[in-house]
């Protein structure tokens, strides 16, 4: 059975939780249609003691270690927790699918950096720690077969990036 960990925004405190619509509900429905024999791991647990930082981190890292697929919600600006979950996923050699629509905080069209135009700019850290990037959770079905044939990035991508950058100097 495949276990799919959903990484992304959670409310920070009771005030935010009041108006929070858990995006994971819709995403779970979509993903369970694509991966029928799967279980969703939703780290958002209102009963979790958010003041016990080690418990929070340990729970999420344990879920990532157990999961067979990590799906990242990057529709809005990512927080520190989600960014770290991407790194930890690579530490455990887990495939990462990032949902990153165009014209959002971390993906923009026709951006010039120092006079050089980048037609489809994706935040370099998100690009590097993702195995697949799609614009909508509905597109995950399109890459289902690629999951079986694509070499998944591991934590060595950090050293590879350093080596690549050093070779350009």
């Amino acid at each position: 059975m495949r276990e799919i960990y959903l990484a992304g925004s959670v409310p920070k405190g009771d005030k935010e939780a009041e108006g929070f619509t858990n995006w994971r509900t819709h995403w779970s429905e979509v993903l369970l249609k694509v991966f029928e024999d799967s279980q969703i791991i939703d780290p958002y647990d209102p009963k979790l003691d958010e003041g016990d930082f080690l418990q929070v981190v340990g729970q999420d890292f344990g879920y990532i270690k157990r999961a067979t697929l990590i799906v990242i919600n990057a529709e809005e600006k990512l927080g520190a927790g989600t960014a770290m979950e991407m790194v930890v996923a690579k530490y455990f050699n887990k495939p990462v699918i990032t949902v990153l629509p165009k014209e959002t905080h971390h993906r923009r069209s026709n951006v010039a950096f120092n006079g050089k135009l980048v037609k489809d700019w994706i935040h370099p850290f998100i690009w590097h720690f993702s195995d697949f990037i799609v614009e909508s959770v509905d597109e995950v079905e399109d890459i289902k077969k690629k999951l079986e044939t694509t070499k998944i990035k591991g934590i060595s991508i950090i050293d590879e990036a350093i080596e690549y950058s050093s070779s350009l100097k």
Side-chain angles (χ1 to χ4, degrees), residues 9 16 18 26 35 39-40 42 67 70 78 84 93 97 107 109 116 118 120 122 133 136 152 155 167:
S9 180
E16 264 188 45
E18 287 176 18
H26 170 69
F35 303 104
Q39 178 181 330
I40 301 296
D42 179 352
I70 313 303
L78 293 185
M84 288 306 303
N93 290 313
I97 300 172
R107 185 174 188 179
S109 299
K116 183 178 178 188
V118 180
D120 185 16
I122 295 172
I133 295 177
S136 164
I152 300 306
I155 200 67
S167 73

Side-chain angles (χ1 to χ4, degrees), residues 39-123:
Q39 178 181 330
I40 301 296
I41 301 173
D42 179 352
Y44 177 56
D45 180 359
K47 297 177 195 138
L48 186 66
D49 179 359
E50 292 286 344
D52 186 343
F53 305 136
L54 190 57
Q55 178 189 14
V56 173
V57 171
Q59 172 191 277
D60 290 0
F61 289 174
Y63 286 156
I64 293 167
K65 183 177 183 178
R66 184 177 99 200
T68 51
L69 175 63
I70 313 303
V71 181
I72 307 289
N73 182 346
E75 293 175 321
E76 297 179 10
K77 185 177 180 181
L78 293 185
T82 305
M84 288 306 303
E85 288 168 327
M86 294 179 81
V87 175
V88 171
K90 296 297 96 191
Y91 175 79
F92 289 121
N93 290 313
K94 303 297 179 168
V96 172
I97 300 172
T98 301
V99 177
L100 180 60
K102 291 182 179 176
E103 307 313 325
T104 55
H105 186 79
H106 299 295
R107 185 174 188 179
R108 301 186 184 164
S109 299
N110 301 313
V111 179
F113 290 93
N114 301 312
K116 183 178 178 188
L117 181 67
V118 180
K119 290 186 180 189
D120 185 16
W121 178 82
I122 295 172
H123 191 288

Side-chain angles (χ1 to χ4, degrees), residues 120-139:
D120 185 16
W121 178 82
I122 295 172
H123 191 288
F125 285 85
I126 292 174
W127 174 86
H128 198 60
F129 285 90
S130 300
D131 294 290
F132 305 94
I133 295 177
V134 296
E135 289 190 62
S136 164
V137 71
D138 298 311
E139 293 177 27

